[in-house]
Amino acid sequence: MFSNDERQFIIALARQAIEHWLDMGEKLVLDSSGAPTTGALTETRACFVTLTKNFELRGCIGSIEAIKPLYLDVIDNAAAAAFEDDRFFPVTKEELEEIEIEVSVLTKPHRLIFSSAEDLFGKLTIGVDGVIVKRGNKSATYLPQVWDEMLEKHNFMSSLCLKAGLEPDDWQKPGLEVFTYQVEIIS
């Protein structure tokens, strides 16, 4: 979907957004000479930015709903992953060189209609589908990359329900909304 130049721009932009926040203490704003004006980067898309250090998660923040041009979502989510993920201390200037950046650009989520846990499992593709669970005002998502950590669908869904603040077996109860999406990974 993205050209090599666009992929390189996305990763460089994410790093620039983090560096700018570290240097200036504010969000990066591109002027007209630095902002893309056409192409996939200007399309309204949602993304997640994942930061790792020494192969360990260091921050991950993203958007599920596409509400702005992709390049702006990259800027916002890169800074948020570095400085607002409350699971971690903010990224420091000293460690930035060791941080690896991965951007996952999402397709539009689609609701799954299913009649049972077995039917649900038949509609989920391990390693391909990102999954969102929602019940009332509680929701959570796992990117498709999380399947690498939990190859078993029961464990994946139970963990995702817990992340949403639900009971681990909520995926087996009627009324749970489940959505799937796919990603293009840029790293």
Side-chain angles (χ1 to χ4, degrees):
M1 176 186 302
F2 295 98
S3 70
N4 284 338
D5 287 346
E6 289 170 329
R7 295 170 74 83
Q8 289 175 2
F9 180 87
I10 288 170
I11 294 301
L13 182 61
R15 188 166 297 279
Q16 184 182 1
I18 296 168
E19 289 172 348
H20 185 81
W21 188 271
L22 283 168
D23 291 340
M24 307 301 289
E26 63 185 23
K27 178 181 157 183
L28 173 67
V29 177
L30 297 180
D31 61 25
S32 59
S33 66
T37 56
T38 61
L41 299 170
T42 63
E43 293 175 6
T44 302
R45 300 289 301 272
C47 75
F48 271 74
V49 176
T50 303
L51 308 178
T52 56
K53 179 179 172 183
N54 301 321
F55 304 103
E56 296 289 326
L57 184 64
R58 186 61 180 82
C60 183
I61 299 282
S63 308
I64 291 176
E65 186 179 345
I67 57 172
K68 61 182 104 170
L70 176 60
Y71 79 94
L72 293 176
D73 211 42
V74 169
I75 290 170
D76 290 347
N77 291 331
F83 307 111
E84 297 174 12
D85 188 333
D86 59 9
R87 298 171 293 178
F88 304 96
F89 290 109
V91 169
T92 65
K93 201 174 227 182
E94 296 74 32
E95 71 179 320
L96 184 57
E97 186 177 295
E98 301 173 62
I99 300 285
E100 295 290 327
I101 299 173
E102 178 180 277
V103 177
S104 300
V105 181
L106 281 63
T107 61
K108 184 178 179 181
H110 293 283
R111 186 172 181 185
L112 289 183
I113 304 301
F114 57 95
S115 57
S116 65
E118 293 76 29
D119 186 27
L120 171 63
F121 285 170
K123 294 178 178 181
L124 294 177
T125 305
I126 291 175
V128 174
D129 289 330
V131 181
I132 303 163
V133 295
K134 182 177 182 184
R135 185 182 301 278
N137 64 354
K138 295 181 177 183
S139 67
T141 189
Y142 277 151
L143 294 169
Q145 298 90 304
V146 176
W147 286 108
D148 293 342
E149 300 168 26
M150 290 180 260
L151 291 173
E152 211 283 317
K153 291 179 181 178
H154 289 83
N155 292 340
F156 183 93
M157 290 302 295
S158 293
S159 178
L160 184 54
C161 285
L162 283 171
K163 181 180 179 188
L166 303 169
E167 295 297 318
D169 64 345
D170 246 41
W171 58 271
Q172 298 175 18
K173 299 174 185 173
L176 183 72
E177 294 179 87
V178 178
F179 301 81
T180 60
Y181 57 89
Q182 291 74 47
V183 300
E184 181 168 349
I185 298 171
I186 301 168
S187 59

